[in-house]
């Protein structure tokens, strides 16, 4: 497919202070767009100036939630090199989300090259300060003008980008987590493994309740038995139980995180016993009382590693590792961010260089 390019004639002023970027509020000069219909398939791929998109109020995505998205980052090293971390995995996962939400799949190799070109054009928007990055948001929406409850006959795929500040401005501090026992995020057979907006909308109520209790995130339990650990907030989760590191198995209701996958591979390469299995919340309680719950942390694109210092389950408040980041959590964070920013050898060949 040909990639058309239209450069902006009115470039925006770039942020003067990279320490005040925040997240998701500032956008680069350009975006990638392509369309799909039954006659042409995916077509009209182009890089154009960032601008609002014209869409019917009757578009499928607005009424039946037919949309998926991804999240990844571009990093600038001290030498000025711009790099991506396992972007092929993001596009592969996005195609899996497409399949679940009945959206046609795309050519992953073409999209990766289009993304690299988009970043090259907006390269000056990639922040220079360590810890900052260029956040990348690919997403697809159903755009058919119809109120019928069926999959769309037209789609639009876009990539927008936003320079973002460091996630841990004040250091890598443990967070307090509230175990959710009333609300359900996803169930097997549903859309829990897909990165679609409906999953996040369903999580907001529990998140608000947890915040009222003074907790920053929710630990989700499974939707059937209401006892097996699934995700923490919008992240995958790991627990160090004695000499075993446990993360819930991917059973169809848990997102297959790229950071999760990378953490598992790194930990195993270091010789740790990593188990991907069902994890009963009562097993965590028992481990806490036995003194074998040593560490807990979430993994995700935004935070990379988010250490957990406190876990509240019903009336039991469990302090983990004296509410301090654990040795394994810290080492894993240093390794992953080191690879991303070019400070640690990329022995897994995960980095894709842009320029």
């Amino acid at each position: 497919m040909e990639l058309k390019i239209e450069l902006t004639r009115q470039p925006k002023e770039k942020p003067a202070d990279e320490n005040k970027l925040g997240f998701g509020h500032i956008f680069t000069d350009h975006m990638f767009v392509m369309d799909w219909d039954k006659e042409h398939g995916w077509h009209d791929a182009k890089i154009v100036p960032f601008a609002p998109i014209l869409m019917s109020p009757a578009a499928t995505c607005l009424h039946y939630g037919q949309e998926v998205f991804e999240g990844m980052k571009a990093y600038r090293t001290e030498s000025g090199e711009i790099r991506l971390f396992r972007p092929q995995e993001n596009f592969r996962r996005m195609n899996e989300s497409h399949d679940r939400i009945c959206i046609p799949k795309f050519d992953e190799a073409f999209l990766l090259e289009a993304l690299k070109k988009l970043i090259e054009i907006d390269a000056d928007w990639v922040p220079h300060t360590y810890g900052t990055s260029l956040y990348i948001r690919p997403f697809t929406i159903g755009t058919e003008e119809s109120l019928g409850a069926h999959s769309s006959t037209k789609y639009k795929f876009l990539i927008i980008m936003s320079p973002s500040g460091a996630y841990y401005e004040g250091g890598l501090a443990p967070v307090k987590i509230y175990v959710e026992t009333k609300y359900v995020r996803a169930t097997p057979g549903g859309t829990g493994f897909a990165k679609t907006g409906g999953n996040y909308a369903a999580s907001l109520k529990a998140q608000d309740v947890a915040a009222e209790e003074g907790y920053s995130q929710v630990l989700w339990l499974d939707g059937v038995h209401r006892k097996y650990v699934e995700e923490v907030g919008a992240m995958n989760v790991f627990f160090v139980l004695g000499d075993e590191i446990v993360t819930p198995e991917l059973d169809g209701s848990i997102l297959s995180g790229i950071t999760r996958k990378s953490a598992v591979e790194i930990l195993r390469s270091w010789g740790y016993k990593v188990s991907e299995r069902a994890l009963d919340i009562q097993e965590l309680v028992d481990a806490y009382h036995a003194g074998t719950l040593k560490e807990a942390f979430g993994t995700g694109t935004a935070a990379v590693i988010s250490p957990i210092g406190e876990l509240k389950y019903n009336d039991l408040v469990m302090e983990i590792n004296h509410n301090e980041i654990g040795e394994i959590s810290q080492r894993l964070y240093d390794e992953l961010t080191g690879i991303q920013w070019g400070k640690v050898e990329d022995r897994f060949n995960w980095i894709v260089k842009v320029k």
Side-chain angles (χ1 to χ4, degrees):
M1 192 190 318
E2 179 186 2
L3 177 61
K4 302 173 185 177
I5 298 175
E6 176 191 345
L7 299 181
T8 183
R9 296 181 180 180
Q10 296 179 315
K12 294 180 283 189
E13 184 176 350
K14 296 174 180 62
D17 188 349
E18 292 187 348
N19 294 314
K20 297 181 179 180
L21 290 174
F23 175 77
H25 300 293
I26 305 167
F27 298 95
T28 66
D29 285 321
H30 299 88
M31 63 184 185
F32 172 85
V33 185
M34 72 175 179
D35 296 299
W36 186 94
D37 59 38
K38 289 186 176 181
E39 181 180 357
H40 303 97
W42 287 110
H43 65 283
D44 197 20
K46 54 193 176 185
I47 293 173
V48 296
F50 183 93
I53 56 176
L54 183 63
M55 185 169 58
S56 168
T60 313
C61 63
L62 299 178
H63 299 272
Y64 303 109
Q66 197 181 18
E67 67 83 39
V68 302
F69 68 96
E70 268 298 328
M72 59 182 94
K73 291 180 177 181
Y75 310 86
R76 188 188 296 275
T77 66
E78 290 181 351
S79 66
E81 178 183 271
I82 298 174
R83 43 172 49 194
L84 297 163
F85 181 75
R86 310 189 79 173
Q88 307 95 322
E89 293 290 333
N90 288 95
F91 285 128
R92 176 195 58 76
R93 184 173 67 180
M94 192 170 186
N95 259 338
E96 291 178 354
S97 297
H98 270 212
D99 184 64
R100 180 62 181 86
I101 310 299
C102 298
I103 300 174
K105 293 184 177 182
F106 51 74
D107 183 331
E108 296 170 21
F110 173 79
L111 259 297
L112 178 55
E113 291 305 311
L115 172 60
K116 290 165 66 176
K117 186 62 178 179
L118 178 63
I119 297 171
E120 286 180 15
I121 291 172
D122 279 348
D124 289 344
W125 285 90
V126 183
H128 297 75
T129 306
Y130 183 73
T132 62
S133 59
L134 182 69
Y135 184 77
I136 302 162
R137 172 55 61 89
F139 63 102
T140 310
I141 53 176
T143 56
E144 179 186 355
E145 187 176 10
S146 171
L147 296 181
H150 55 75
S151 57
S152 182
T153 60
K154 295 181 180 179
Y155 299 92
K156 188 175 290 289
F157 177 101
L158 301 96
I159 303 175
I160 58 176
M161 306 190 299
S162 173
S164 300
Y167 191 89
Y168 294 109
E169 294 182 359
L172 194 59
V175 294
K176 297 169 60 178
I177 302 298
Y178 181 92
V179 180
E180 178 54 53
T181 58
K182 178 180 179 181
Y183 298 104
V184 172
R185 174 189 164 273
T187 59
T191 61
F193 71 91
K195 204 165 178 64
T196 181
N199 293 338
Y200 294 80
S203 72
L204 297 179
K205 181 64 175 178
Q207 178 63 42
D208 286 350
V209 172
E212 292 173 0
E213 294 283 334
Y215 289 82
S216 59
Q217 292 287 353
V218 166
L219 181 67
W220 294 101
L221 301 180
D222 75 287
V224 178
H225 305 96
R226 310 298 289 277
K227 66 177 184 178
Y228 294 108
V229 172
E230 293 207 329
E231 294 186 6
V232 58
M235 297 180 289
N236 296 114
V237 67
F238 289 72
F239 296 91
V240 181
L241 305 176
D243 61 356
E244 179 187 21
I245 303 175
V246 182
T247 188
E249 60 187 339
L250 302 177
D251 62 354
S253 61
I254 297 174
L255 185 70
S256 176
I258 285 84
T259 311
R260 173 194 183 276
K261 181 177 182 178
S262 304
V264 168
E265 293 177 30
I266 289 173
L267 289 167
R268 285 176 175 163
S269 76
W270 286 340
Y272 287 105
K273 177 185 178 183
V274 182
S275 301
E276 299 175 76
R277 62 173 177 82
L279 178 60
D280 193 317
I281 186 66
Q282 188 59 47
E283 182 179 350
L284 291 183
V285 172
D286 293 343
Y288 169 74
H289 287 306
T292 56
L293 175 54
K294 297 180 178 179
E295 293 184 44
F297 56 89
T299 62
T301 298
V304 184
I305 300 295
S306 181
I308 298 171
E310 183 179 303
L311 200 61
K312 182 180 180 181
Y313 176 52
N314 294 326
D315 294 328
L316 176 64
V317 176
M318 296 175 274
E319 186 180 77
I320 302 172
N321 195 44
H322 308 292
N323 198 29
E324 297 177 352
I325 184 171
E327 178 183 345
I328 294 174
S329 305
Q330 183 70 65
R331 184 183 179 193
L332 194 55
Y333 176 81
D334 292 342
E335 183 77 5
L336 282 164
T337 56
I339 293 171
Q340 291 166 345
W341 270 283
K343 294 180 176 292
V344 172
E345 179 188 359
D346 175 25
R347 55 196 176 94
F348 297 95
N349 295 317
W350 287 338
I351 294 299
V352 172
K353 297 178 181 180
V354 176
K355 62 175 295 185

